[in-house]
Amino acid sequence: MGMYNNEAIFKKSWDKNYLSEELIQAQWAEFVELKKVIADLYQKNKAPLKTLDIGIGNARIAKHLSGITEIWDMLDSYDGTDNAEACVQLSRQTAKELEIDDKVKVYLVDAIHLDTWKKKYDLILITWFTAGNFYPSNFPFYSYNSSENRLDLSRNEQFEIIFSHLYALLNPGGEIVIGACYIDNDATRLKQEHSYKKMGMTVITTNEDSFTATKEGFWSQRFTKEKMLAYLHFVRPEKISFTALDTYNYAMQIIIKK
């Protein structure tokens, strides 16, 4: 089951009338931090950056970056991927309307298959909590709330495989920016549950889980620094940095350097 198979809920997931204030502000916090990363990496690279956006969604990041000439000119190319046809079509339409489709190219690709990707990048972006959406392919959305065995996420094979692929796509000196990740605590869990319920979904997880999922096929994991370091075991710890996106322990940005 895909996260965007339900058209009505898909539309609500982009509609600010259904988004919590925490989510809306997290969007802008990750964008502010991202501009700093782009500027710093551009200065180090001494050339415009080849960029890949995983889970491009509605091309929100490309849209806002292209609105700032000084930042947009720091990007040589902007490839985007998504595993949902609706998102691919929406982002292509957005790029065309903004007349940035000369730089923005969007592909229908599941991140798990990026080991076959031929290009290399200076900057890889994963924004809007997308890194928390990589769940086991056999996760039982319809029966999990009645299951006696809770999912153990001390390892997340899907996450680790995808990020090992992404790390291999980086040029030397390149960076992966995980724009926003939920921080694993009870207050954040309650905020996640509230957001999903506001969109009309049925939450199937409990306070025993380190992720929130719904019967409709939406999934979003919460992370600790320790768990993230364990997942990214193929990267030296000193190459991974964490930045708080707020003052109430809700979301963080993670940068992975090569």
PDB file of all heavy atoms in Angstrom, residues 30 34 53-56 60-61 78 125-131 133 177-180:
ATOM      1  N   GLU A  30      13.325  24.071   8.322  1.00  0.00           N
ATOM      2  CA  GLU A  30      14.235  23.253   7.520  1.00  0.00           C
ATOM      3  C   GLU A  30      14.687  24.017   6.284  1.00  0.00           C
ATOM      4  O   GLU A  30      15.824  23.855   5.820  1.00  0.00           O
ATOM      5  CB  GLU A  30      13.598  21.921   7.143  1.00  0.00           C
ATOM      6  CG  GLU A  30      12.493  21.990   6.110  1.00  0.00           C
ATOM      7  CD  GLU A  30      12.050  20.619   5.620  1.00  0.00           C
ATOM      8  OE1 GLU A  30      12.646  19.605   6.006  1.00  0.00           O
ATOM      9  OE2 GLU A  30      11.080  20.576   4.832  1.00  0.00           O
ATOM     10  N   LEU A  34      18.462  24.852   5.246  1.00  0.00           N
ATOM     11  CA  LEU A  34      18.910  24.342   3.950  1.00  0.00           C
ATOM     12  C   LEU A  34      19.633  25.420   3.150  1.00  0.00           C
ATOM     13  O   LEU A  34      20.654  25.144   2.505  1.00  0.00           O
ATOM     14  CB  LEU A  34      17.715  23.806   3.158  1.00  0.00           C
ATOM     15  CG  LEU A  34      18.007  23.346   1.723  1.00  0.00           C
ATOM     16  CD1 LEU A  34      19.056  22.243   1.714  1.00  0.00           C
ATOM     17  CD2 LEU A  34      16.724  22.876   1.047  1.00  0.00           C
ATOM     18  N   ASP A  53      16.818  15.670  -5.193  1.00  0.00           N
ATOM     19  CA  ASP A  53      15.770  15.807  -4.177  1.00  0.00           C
ATOM     20  C   ASP A  53      14.987  14.494  -4.132  1.00  0.00           C
ATOM     21  O   ASP A  53      14.264  14.158  -5.077  1.00  0.00           O
ATOM     22  CB  ASP A  53      14.859  16.978  -4.551  1.00  0.00           C
ATOM     23  CG  ASP A  53      13.793  17.281  -3.495  1.00  0.00           C
ATOM     24  OD1 ASP A  53      13.549  16.428  -2.620  1.00  0.00           O
ATOM     25  OD2 ASP A  53      13.204  18.377  -3.563  1.00  0.00           O
ATOM     26  N   ILE A  54      15.147  13.747  -3.036  1.00  0.00           N
ATOM     27  CA  ILE A  54      14.452  12.467  -2.862  1.00  0.00           C
ATOM     28  C   ILE A  54      13.076  12.717  -2.248  1.00  0.00           C
ATOM     29  O   ILE A  54      12.955  13.347  -1.204  1.00  0.00           O
ATOM     30  CB  ILE A  54      15.255  11.527  -1.940  1.00  0.00           C
ATOM     31  CG1 ILE A  54      16.668  11.302  -2.497  1.00  0.00           C
ATOM     32  CG2 ILE A  54      14.521  10.191  -1.770  1.00  0.00           C
ATOM     33  CD1 ILE A  54      16.710  10.636  -3.838  1.00  0.00           C
ATOM     34  N   GLY A  55      12.016  12.206  -2.900  1.00  0.00           N
ATOM     35  CA  GLY A  55      10.670  12.470  -2.415  1.00  0.00           C
ATOM     36  C   GLY A  55      10.297  13.922  -2.680  1.00  0.00           C
ATOM     37  O   GLY A  55       9.907  14.652  -1.773  1.00  0.00           O
ATOM     38  N   ILE A  56      10.403  14.327  -3.929  1.00  0.00           N
ATOM     39  CA  ILE A  56      10.220  15.736  -4.283  1.00  0.00           C
ATOM     40  C   ILE A  56       8.812  16.240  -4.006  1.00  0.00           C
ATOM     41  O   ILE A  56       8.589  17.439  -3.840  1.00  0.00           O
ATOM     42  CB  ILE A  56      10.609  15.974  -5.766  1.00  0.00           C
ATOM     43  CG1 ILE A  56      10.722  17.475  -6.060  1.00  0.00           C
ATOM     44  CG2 ILE A  56       9.667  15.259  -6.702  1.00  0.00           C
ATOM     45  CD1 ILE A  56      11.286  17.778  -7.439  1.00  0.00           C
ATOM     46  N   ARG A  60       7.964  21.641  -3.582  1.00  0.00           N
ATOM     47  CA  ARG A  60       7.942  22.789  -2.675  1.00  0.00           C
ATOM     48  C   ARG A  60       9.324  23.412  -2.510  1.00  0.00           C
ATOM     49  O   ARG A  60       9.487  24.631  -2.587  1.00  0.00           O
ATOM     50  CB  ARG A  60       7.420  22.340  -1.299  1.00  0.00           C
ATOM     51  CG  ARG A  60       7.433  23.416  -0.225  1.00  0.00           C
ATOM     52  CD  ARG A  60       6.926  22.843   1.089  1.00  0.00           C
ATOM     53  NE  ARG A  60       7.790  21.807   1.615  1.00  0.00           N
ATOM     54  CZ  ARG A  60       8.793  22.021   2.445  1.00  0.00           C
ATOM     55  NH1 ARG A  60       9.106  23.243   2.827  1.00  0.00           N
ATOM     56  NH2 ARG A  60       9.530  21.020   2.891  1.00  0.00           N
ATOM     57  N   ILE A  61      10.342  22.576  -2.298  1.00  0.00           N
ATOM     58  CA  ILE A  61      11.684  23.112  -2.067  1.00  0.00           C
ATOM     59  C   ILE A  61      12.221  23.780  -3.331  1.00  0.00           C
ATOM     60  O   ILE A  61      12.768  24.894  -3.275  1.00  0.00           O
ATOM     61  CB  ILE A  61      12.636  21.994  -1.599  1.00  0.00           C
ATOM     62  CG1 ILE A  61      12.218  21.507  -0.190  1.00  0.00           C
ATOM     63  CG2 ILE A  61      14.078  22.481  -1.586  1.00  0.00           C
ATOM     64  CD1 ILE A  61      12.350  22.550   0.897  1.00  0.00           C
ATOM     65  N   TYR A  78      18.904  20.236 -10.857  1.00  0.00           N
ATOM     66  CA  TYR A  78      18.030  19.854  -9.748  1.00  0.00           C
ATOM     67  C   TYR A  78      17.171  18.673 -10.209  1.00  0.00           C
ATOM     68  O   TYR A  78      16.148  18.840 -10.870  1.00  0.00           O
ATOM     69  CB  TYR A  78      17.145  21.035  -9.340  1.00  0.00           C
ATOM     70  CG  TYR A  78      16.454  20.885  -7.994  1.00  0.00           C
ATOM     71  CD1 TYR A  78      16.934  21.545  -6.876  1.00  0.00           C
ATOM     72  CD2 TYR A  78      15.328  20.085  -7.850  1.00  0.00           C
ATOM     73  CE1 TYR A  78      16.313  21.427  -5.642  1.00  0.00           C
ATOM     74  CE2 TYR A  78      14.701  19.944  -6.615  1.00  0.00           C
ATOM     75  CZ  TYR A  78      15.196  20.623  -5.514  1.00  0.00           C
ATOM     76  OH  TYR A  78      14.576  20.500  -4.291  1.00  0.00           O
ATOM     77  N   LEU A 125      19.026  16.023  -1.106  1.00  0.00           N
ATOM     78  CA  LEU A 125      18.056  16.546  -0.156  1.00  0.00           C
ATOM     79  C   LEU A 125      16.969  15.525   0.133  1.00  0.00           C
ATOM     80  O   LEU A 125      16.487  14.843  -0.777  1.00  0.00           O
ATOM     81  CB  LEU A 125      17.380  17.805  -0.718  1.00  0.00           C
ATOM     82  CG  LEU A 125      18.269  18.892  -1.313  1.00  0.00           C
ATOM     83  CD1 LEU A 125      17.395  20.002  -1.882  1.00  0.00           C
ATOM     84  CD2 LEU A 125      19.204  19.422  -0.248  1.00  0.00           C
ATOM     85  N   ILE A 126      16.594  15.441   1.393  1.00  0.00           N
ATOM     86  CA  ILE A 126      15.430  14.656   1.802  1.00  0.00           C
ATOM     87  C   ILE A 126      14.690  15.517   2.822  1.00  0.00           C
ATOM     88  O   ILE A 126      15.093  15.614   3.981  1.00  0.00           O
ATOM     89  CB  ILE A 126      15.824  13.304   2.423  1.00  0.00           C
ATOM     90  CG1 ILE A 126      16.728  12.541   1.471  1.00  0.00           C
ATOM     91  CG2 ILE A 126      14.583  12.470   2.727  1.00  0.00           C
ATOM     92  CD1 ILE A 126      17.308  11.294   2.052  1.00  0.00           C
ATOM     93  N   THR A 127      13.631  16.179   2.378  1.00  0.00           N
ATOM     94  CA  THR A 127      12.955  17.166   3.223  1.00  0.00           C
ATOM     95  C   THR A 127      11.584  16.673   3.675  1.00  0.00           C
ATOM     96  O   THR A 127      11.141  15.582   3.310  1.00  0.00           O
ATOM     97  CB  THR A 127      12.800  18.492   2.458  1.00  0.00           C
ATOM     98  OG1 THR A 127      11.964  18.273   1.309  1.00  0.00           O
ATOM     99  CG2 THR A 127      14.143  19.028   1.996  1.00  0.00           C
ATOM    100  N   TRP A 128      10.956  17.521   4.492  1.00  0.00           N
ATOM    101  CA  TRP A 128       9.554  17.317   4.889  1.00  0.00           C
ATOM    102  C   TRP A 128       9.315  15.950   5.526  1.00  0.00           C
ATOM    103  O   TRP A 128       8.371  15.241   5.250  1.00  0.00           O
ATOM    104  CB  TRP A 128       8.635  17.520   3.677  1.00  0.00           C
ATOM    105  CG  TRP A 128       7.187  17.677   3.942  1.00  0.00           C
ATOM    106  CD1 TRP A 128       6.162  17.172   3.179  1.00  0.00           C
ATOM    107  CD2 TRP A 128       6.531  18.367   5.017  1.00  0.00           C
ATOM    108  NE1 TRP A 128       4.936  17.500   3.695  1.00  0.00           N
ATOM    109  CE2 TRP A 128       5.147  18.235   4.833  1.00  0.00           C
ATOM    110  CE3 TRP A 128       7.008  19.075   6.121  1.00  0.00           C
ATOM    111  CZ2 TRP A 128       4.216  18.796   5.715  1.00  0.00           C
ATOM    112  CZ3 TRP A 128       6.086  19.631   6.994  1.00  0.00           C
ATOM    113  CH2 TRP A 128       4.712  19.483   6.785  1.00  0.00           C
ATOM    114  N   PHE A 129      10.258  15.525   6.394  1.00  0.00           N
ATOM    115  CA  PHE A 129      10.127  14.304   7.199  1.00  0.00           C
ATOM    116  C   PHE A 129      10.123  13.025   6.351  1.00  0.00           C
ATOM    117  O   PHE A 129       9.763  11.959   6.842  1.00  0.00           O
ATOM    118  CB  PHE A 129       8.869  14.358   8.074  1.00  0.00           C
ATOM    119  CG  PHE A 129       8.870  15.489   9.063  1.00  0.00           C
ATOM    120  CD1 PHE A 129       8.271  16.696   8.752  1.00  0.00           C
ATOM    121  CD2 PHE A 129       9.496  15.370  10.292  1.00  0.00           C
ATOM    122  CE1 PHE A 129       8.285  17.761   9.654  1.00  0.00           C
ATOM    123  CE2 PHE A 129       9.518  16.424  11.202  1.00  0.00           C
ATOM    124  CZ  PHE A 129       8.912  17.621  10.878  1.00  0.00           C
ATOM    125  N   THR A 130      10.526  13.126   5.082  1.00  0.00           N
ATOM    126  CA  THR A 130      10.488  11.975   4.177  1.00  0.00           C
ATOM    127  C   THR A 130      11.356  10.825   4.668  1.00  0.00           C
ATOM    128  O   THR A 130      11.024   9.653   4.451  1.00  0.00           O
ATOM    129  CB  THR A 130      10.914  12.394   2.763  1.00  0.00           C
ATOM    130  OG1 THR A 130      10.001  13.388   2.283  1.00  0.00           O
ATOM    131  CG2 THR A 130      10.922  11.219   1.806  1.00  0.00           C
ATOM    132  N   ALA A 131      12.474  11.122   5.319  1.00  0.00           N
ATOM    133  CA  ALA A 131      13.361  10.052   5.789  1.00  0.00           C
ATOM    134  C   ALA A 131      12.666   9.122   6.777  1.00  0.00           C
ATOM    135  O   ALA A 131      13.068   7.965   6.948  1.00  0.00           O
ATOM    136  CB  ALA A 131      14.610  10.650   6.434  1.00  0.00           C
ATOM    137  N   ASN A 133       9.700   8.006   6.383  1.00  0.00           N
ATOM    138  CA  ASN A 133       8.648   7.269   5.676  1.00  0.00           C
ATOM    139  C   ASN A 133       9.114   5.931   5.112  1.00  0.00           C
ATOM    140  O   ASN A 133       8.351   5.255   4.426  1.00  0.00           O
ATOM    141  CB  ASN A 133       8.097   8.114   4.516  1.00  0.00           C
ATOM    142  CG  ASN A 133       7.451   9.408   4.957  1.00  0.00           C
ATOM    143  OD1 ASN A 133       7.415  10.365   4.204  1.00  0.00           O
ATOM    144  ND2 ASN A 133       6.943   9.466   6.184  1.00  0.00           N
ATOM    145  N   VAL A 177      21.416  16.082   3.078  1.00  0.00           N
ATOM    146  CA  VAL A 177      20.709  16.871   4.081  1.00  0.00           C
ATOM    147  C   VAL A 177      19.351  16.243   4.331  1.00  0.00           C
ATOM    148  O   VAL A 177      18.498  16.211   3.438  1.00  0.00           O
ATOM    149  CB  VAL A 177      20.532  18.337   3.630  1.00  0.00           C
ATOM    150  CG1 VAL A 177      19.735  19.118   4.677  1.00  0.00           C
ATOM    151  CG2 VAL A 177      21.881  18.998   3.395  1.00  0.00           C
ATOM    152  N   ILE A 178      19.174  15.701   5.521  1.00  0.00           N
ATOM    153  CA  ILE A 178      17.855  15.248   5.953  1.00  0.00           C
ATOM    154  C   ILE A 178      17.197  16.471   6.591  1.00  0.00           C
ATOM    155  O   ILE A 178      17.497  16.836   7.717  1.00  0.00           O
ATOM    156  CB  ILE A 178      17.951  14.078   6.943  1.00  0.00           C
ATOM    157  CG1 ILE A 178      18.765  12.930   6.335  1.00  0.00           C
ATOM    158  CG2 ILE A 178      16.560  13.595   7.336  1.00  0.00           C
ATOM    159  CD1 ILE A 178      18.977  11.762   7.276  1.00  0.00           C
ATOM    160  N   GLY A 179      16.332  17.117   5.823  1.00  0.00           N
ATOM    161  CA  GLY A 179      15.815  18.425   6.229  1.00  0.00           C
ATOM    162  C   GLY A 179      15.113  18.439   7.554  1.00  0.00           C
ATOM    163  O   GLY A 179      15.276  19.376   8.343  1.00  0.00           O
ATOM    164  N   ALA A 180      14.315  17.418   7.816  1.00  0.00           N
ATOM    165  CA  ALA A 180      13.601  17.356   9.094  1.00  0.00           C
ATOM    166  C   ALA A 180      13.311  15.906   9.456  1.00  0.00           C
ATOM    167  O   ALA A 180      12.886  15.118   8.611  1.00  0.00           O
ATOM    168  CB  ALA A 180      12.295  18.150   9.030  1.00  0.00           C
TER     169      ALA A 180
END
